[in-house]
Amino acid sequence: MKAGVRTGVLERAAAICILTLCLSCLHVIALKSQLFTRHGGLSSSTGTPISYKTLYFDQRIDHFGFLEDGTFKQRYLVADKYWHQPGGPILFYTGNEGDIAWFCNNTDAKHLNYLTAEQALADFAVLIQNMKSTVSGAQHSPVIAIGGSYGGMLAAWFRMKYPNIVVGALAASAPIWQFPGMVPCGDFYKIVTQDFAKSGYNCDANIRKSWKAINNVSSTVSGLQWLSEEFSLCTPLKNIIDVAGFKNWLQETWVNLAMVDYPYKANFLQPLPRWPIQVVCKNLAFESTVSDYQLLHGVSQAAKVYYNYTGSSSCLNISQTATGNLGFLGWFYQACTEMVMPMCTDGVHDMFEPGEWNFQAFSDECNAMFGVRPRPDWAGTVFGGKDIASHSNIIFSNGGLDPWSAGGVTHNISNSLISIMIPDGAHHLDLRYSNDNDPPSVRAARVLELKYFKEWIKKAKKTLRHPHHL
């Protein structure tokens, strides 16, 4: 998926239209763990490759104003090998914040101004309407939106805003309530900590102790050199600013591990073993009397499980926490405008250094980077916040290991706004390819999701046959 600007042309979010009811065909990429994090990488799988066509649609740059009348080429993918026409259901994958390689050279406010969830949803609606009018056999096809992470948020909002376009939505690991005033800002990091606490002896406690150990060791020139060598850093630590960046890098590492704590080997953000946090925690099973240097040796070995599990990295680059590019600059801009997601730590209920949520500092950083100020209450206003009971036909699936579940819908709101909890699932595990090591909870979740899909499709087709029976 791409979202970005190229020669004055904006790509907000691409979408995969999968014309088959096959949950194993879906792949997603993850939300950022915090505002200015540095994720990257694309998901990969050992599953059967999907055969699809790449197409382009002349999409409006601005759906909500009339002075800008330009268009851009919106890329979308179609996999119709198993599609039964006419009238077969369409699974519409809502794009994420993915690869935006062009963004870096095109960050003027004129074009970035169109990078909003509202514009992306309108893109989806217009594209689907066009497909239904131009693709033979698709005119009466019921459409279900599917997405994970930010894409899951878009899927839920798509059903809310355009119920005339999609008959239902599966919103996997979609933190639609991770906005100001909706959930406590510390819950995200509490879940990260819980994942480590139950994955190994003293694991969370020793990570909590490691921050002070880093401060102690880095207080001397020789200590900085030791840390740089112990962690095999590509660029040696030289000063207190470097140490702060180093600690942020470690914090993001633990967060990423919580997101991708899958029950099998995976390559979502990095190549990792099955249940990677358990492997990490084997390096951190120290008693409380452990020395700073011994503790940090364990931390370095733990970090290398994430960054060098394959043994192919000659050094670790603390300027990135995952391979490739997840479109971080585009997400930064959205976080600085309408996707304002408060997060904080206290060092007591979590394993991190205390860090408050400071909206003014956040706003100032956004202004310095993009010349914009965030609107903290806008997402709640435009998408309804917690007052969504009037909507229907949305499944919110969340993994108990996934920190983003802190901002997700984790209880049923009505008989058609359904929560599916996957206790031993990490970030949108249900959307990944099925695997022999999948826990029973995710297998059951997929069966239940498919059950609701079939109900929505059956009802939609009945409504088409008898339009007066609404």
Side-chain angles (χ1 to χ4, degrees), residues 389-403:
S390 60
H391 300 292
S392 64
N393 292 7
I394 304 173
I395 301 167
F396 297 96
S397 63
N398 283 282
L401 305 179
D402 182 17

Side-chain angles (χ1 to χ4, degrees), residues 212-227:
K212 186 175 181 181
I214 292 170
N215 292 341
N216 292 341
V217 171
S218 66
S219 63
T220 66
V221 173
S222 61
L224 284 171
Q225 183 179 351
W226 181 88
L227 271 176

